[in-house]
Amino acid sequence: MKRVLKNFKGHKHLVFMDFEGTQFSHEMIAYGAVLVTIDKNGYIVKQKKPIKRYVRSKNAIGKFVEGLTGITQKDLNKYGVTFSQAMKDLKKYCGMAFKKSTFITFGNHDMRILGQSMSYNLDSPKDLCNIIRSNYVDFQSIISEFIKDEKGNVLSLTRYLEVFGVPFDGTAHDPEYDATNLAKLYDVFMKDKDIVLVEFMKNLKRNSYNPEPINKVLRKLLNNEPVTPEEFTEYLKDYIA
């Protein structure tokens, strides 16, 4: 999809990421990432083994987040690295592609976690973090333009995969699995345009934000009913009468 590729600034490498953060301070406690290479059509042609890091936060994780992610303070004490080291490890993982990659998350909360972690860590590598922030894309905002539920709500990562008949691998809220499943969702979204078209048509039928004349024409066209320019003009006249 050309409209999707425009977000990547010509980059041939994408880094799908998921950040897990503390309940109240929203500091990073773990991340998962997977680097892929795409062809001119945006299809994934090469995928690197994912990376996962636990990150020692300055503040407590919070009981809700512990229950949601399964990450405990013991995990951070035993396996965690500093935020600065975690970002350096991500750069090392990406190698030469780091400065030439688009970083993709599902939703924009990950960027809040990145920003909060920078504010709590005075030694944070701001240059690395700013590269991520300036080359960041929220895939949820892209896919939700085409696919929503019956009430017009955005779906979860798992639900979006279900739309394409793709199972979620692993455990949700494990950042490594969330990152790799996001890569799967991107790949099937780019390749299975028939499902995207069907879901987009459903979305258009349910859309209540357009003026009624537009929705009336859309409904007729999507039901395979012809609409002439004269009819559309009459709809407009009725609307403004």
Side-chain angles (χ1 to χ4, degrees):
M1 293 183 182
K2 293 179 180 179
R3 297 183 69 245
V4 177
L5 295 178
K6 287 180 180 179
N7 293 283
F8 302 159
K9 303 178 181 178
H11 292 153
K12 299 303 179 185
H13 300 284
L14 308 178
V15 183
F16 294 94
M17 306 186 304
D18 179 69
F19 299 158
E20 299 296 336
T22 58
Q23 185 172 341
F24 299 109
S25 61
H26 301 286
E27 298 170 71
M28 189 182 297
I29 57 172
Y31 72 71
V34 57
L35 172 70
V36 308
T37 305
I38 58 174
D39 63 14
K40 63 180 181 179
N41 298 310
Y43 299 162
I44 295 175
V45 294
K46 186 178 180 181
Q47 182 166 319
K48 191 173 182 179
K49 183 179 178 181
I51 181 177
K52 178 180 177 179
R53 287 289 184 273
Y54 288 104
V55 184
R56 293 196 296 271
S57 58
K58 302 293 186 182
N59 294 284
I61 297 175
K63 294 297 183 182
F64 176 79
V65 171
E66 281 192 355
L68 185 69
T69 65
I71 300 172
T72 67
Q73 190 60 52
K74 288 183 178 179
D75 293 325
L76 300 192
N77 293 340
K78 185 175 182 180
Y79 305 110
V81 298
T82 64
F83 174 70
S84 177
Q85 185 61 51
M87 291 297 99
K88 291 175 183 176
D89 288 348
L90 179 61
K91 179 180 183 295
K92 183 178 180 180
Y93 166 79
C94 295
M96 297 295 291
F98 184 78
K99 292 183 178 180
K100 301 176 182 179
S101 293
T102 295
F103 298 86
I104 302 178
T105 65
F106 188 78
N108 57 20
H109 186 62
D110 300 84
M111 289 302 103
R112 182 183 182 189
I113 291 174
L114 184 64
Q116 287 292 97
S117 298
M118 290 175 67
S119 68
Y120 278 103
N121 293 272
L122 298 179
D123 63 339
S124 62
K126 293 182 175 60
D127 56 336
L128 304 186
C129 296
N130 287 333
I131 287 174
I132 294 173
R133 291 167 115 180
S134 61
N135 294 286
Y136 153 72
V137 170
D138 173 11
F139 187 68
Q140 185 185 62
S141 67
I142 292 175
I143 194 171
S144 63
E145 179 183 351
F146 301 93
I147 306 172
K148 293 181 180 177
D149 70 10
E150 295 80 3
K151 296 182 179 179
N153 299 314
V154 176
L155 305 182
S156 66
L157 175 58
T158 303
R159 288 278 310 282
Y160 273 121
L161 285 170
E162 289 174 358
V163 169
F164 292 93
V166 177
F168 187 98
D169 289 336
T171 306
H173 302 296
D174 179 308
E176 180 179 333
Y177 287 122
D178 281 354
T180 54
N181 280 283
L182 178 56
K184 284 174 59 178
L185 177 60
Y186 164 84
D187 195 43
V188 71
F189 173 80
M190 294 295 287
K191 291 178 178 177
D192 202 334
K193 295 181 178 64
D194 288 341
I195 289 181
V196 176
L197 177 59
V198 169
E199 294 296 325
F200 189 34
M201 290 172 68
K202 292 179 184 177
N203 197 21
L204 289 173
K205 279 187 177 182
R206 294 189 294 259
N207 189 4
S208 61
Y209 297 103
N210 292 322
E212 179 53 27
I214 302 298
N215 283 331
K216 194 170 184 179
V217 170
L218 281 173
R219 285 193 295 268
K220 295 195 74 171
L221 292 175
L222 292 171
N223 287 325
N224 294 317
E225 300 175 30
V227 180
T228 66
E230 292 77 17
E231 286 178 303
F232 181 49
T233 300
E234 289 302 316
Y235 296 158
L236 295 176
K237 286 181 179 179
D238 290 341
Y239 185 69
I240 65 176

